[in-house]
Amino acid sequence: MANRGNFSGRIGFILAAAGSAVGLGNIWRFPYLAGSNGGAIFLLVYLTCILLLCYPVMVGEIAIGRSANSDAYGSYNKLGGRKWGYLGLFGIMAGIFILSFYNVVAGWAFGYFLHISFGDLLNHQDFGGFFGDYVNDILDVSSVAGLANSNFIFSLVFMALTAIIVSQGIQKGIEAANKIMMPSLYLILIGIIIYSLTLPNAFSGVKFYLIPDFSELKIKTVVDGLKQAFFSLSLGMGALITYGSYLSKKENITSSALVISVADTSVAFFAGLMVFPLVHFLAFKLTIDPQQIGTSGPPLIFVVLPQIFSEMGLILGRIIGGSFFLLVCFAALTSTISLLEVPVAYLVDQKKMKRKNVVWLLALLIFICGLPSMVSQGMIPAFNKLTFYRGQDFLTFIADMSDICLTVGGCLMCIFISRQWGIANMDAELTHGNDGYMSSKTRSFLHITIQWVAPVLLGLLSILIIVEKFFGIDNLI
Ligand code: PFF
């Protein structure tokens, strides 16, 4: 295929794929899921899912993409025929849904970065009230300390930043941006962890996070752990098929996937290590029980953390809080570019459209698709309480549907490899750049997991996730 672009080498690919993986999922969702699922026990379940289910799916996706050298649809179509092409299209649609709501949350974080660093958000007394107003009235252009307070504008700017990067292509855009943002992200994260560990009561937070209490292990812990692991590693929707298609045959896929999984998991792990000491510090300051601080749900980083930053005093709060939200923005941006690249690659490869035009067109369309999520936080009541979805809001609905698409997509990908493309073809692809692969233990492990363990468990868990979403799992078990 004519000049589709490629990564300059192993490091570029790993940083871009790890950039896709490291995102709001690690910093926004992982800590609150861990917080509401018993801390350490959730971490244990999560790590098991990564090893047993996610790593094999990741290797499979990258192998499919590199072998076919095409976008998500083109890859399945080329290796498995037209019917399987629909699986690629399913993934592309899932990516569009994810980006539509993901960009809204990224816009919240971008606004918070500006408001904490340059505005007077930290002087607010009522952080819950501020967040409620902020996500509710998306068109509020009144200024808060000289800054417009419109989530509509913040999200639009975020989508434009994503489009600018993706329009520059693989090496000059995606790879270059990740090479700057990923190392910065790690530096900021480590800096904040070191600081938060010096705070009073920090180690009580570390204990909660690291010492498992097995009595907390429930079906919900496993369901939440799995869907979080899939979302976090950007699996099941073709992002890694697309990135894999830009990877040279010289590179070793199994070891690259290992590095990507470790990089992503370490950021989620570190995010917990950053957040729980902060939460326990706040509990100490307010002389309340840490359990009383609402660590469950999205408000964790938008309500609880700003309150903690404000307890640090204005200057330090601005520095630590501003850095924290800059970190969130970097993490989100490295993910939104991968989400946008999936449909872009499809239109560039299949419809022979020009990258620049496609990027801007899709960015605008997906931004518009995100509007229902944006107004679902109170502004338009019909989107705020969906009658067919247990009274939940549209953003939650679309995020939940994406979770289902990812595990179903991962399950079908395993079936595709074992029943259609053939595990021997996957082996042949994995041998490129890895001479010892055929006689390695990794090969046996991948055979067992991709052919049996992953499709069965992913199938079962997908059913459980669907039941949980529509009926509530607590009613069942
Ligand atoms: N992995 C990203 C996160 O954890 O925030 C989310 C994501 C990005 C999911 C890209 C899927 C994807 F293709």
Side-chain angles (χ1 to χ4, degrees), residues 177-330:
N178 275 294
K179 278 188 168 157
I180 299 171
M181 284 190 281
M182 287 303 285
S184 320
L185 184 151
Y186 270 98
L187 282 180
I188 300 176
L189 187 59
I190 290 168
I192 303 181
I193 292 175
I194 294 176
Y195 174 73
S196 69
L197 288 178
T198 64
L199 294 168
N201 209 29
F203 280 89
S204 136
V206 176
K207 232 167 82 189
F208 168 75
Y209 185 48
L210 294 185
I211 301 181
D213 171 359
F214 286 93
S215 67
E216 293 273 353
L217 183 61
K218 306 188 180 85
I219 295 270
K220 186 171 178 306
T221 322
V222 179
V223 169
D224 278 354
L226 176 74
K227 64 185 195 209
Q228 172 60 13
F230 251 70
F231 183 80
S232 187
L233 285 176
S234 308
L235 298 176
M237 50 140 290
L240 290 175
I241 295 183
T242 310
Y243 273 12
S245 74
Y246 304 125
L247 180 65
S248 136
K249 292 272 190 208
K250 287 197 304 254
E251 309 302 340
N252 180 334
I253 292 182
T254 50
S255 73
S256 302
L258 190 66
V259 178
I260 297 162
S261 307
V262 171
D264 180 66
T265 309
S266 63
V267 173
F269 175 76
F270 285 139
L273 209 52
M274 163 176 69
V275 167
F276 289 108
L278 289 175
V279 169
H280 284 239
F281 159 69
L282 182 66
F284 172 80
K285 270 263 183 176
L286 304 178
T287 54
I288 55 171
D289 190 272
Q291 300 293 338
Q292 282 174 262
I293 299 178
T295 49
S296 61
L300 173 61
I301 74 165
F302 293 106
V303 177
V304 178
L305 290 190
Q307 188 179 355
I308 297 169
F309 299 137
S310 83
E311 292 286 339
M312 295 173 179
L314 198 58
I315 309 258
L316 202 59
R318 265 191 211 284
I319 297 174
I320 304 285
S323 312
F324 172 80
F325 280 101
L326 183 64
L327 159 83
V328 180
C329 290
F330 279 167

Side-chain angles (χ1 to χ4, degrees), residues 20-26 98 102 231-234 237 239 335 338-339:
S20 167
V22 172
L24 294 170
N26 304 59
I98 297 179
Y102 200 91
F231 183 80
S232 187
L233 285 176
S234 308
M237 50 140 290
S335 296
S338 74
L339 284 162

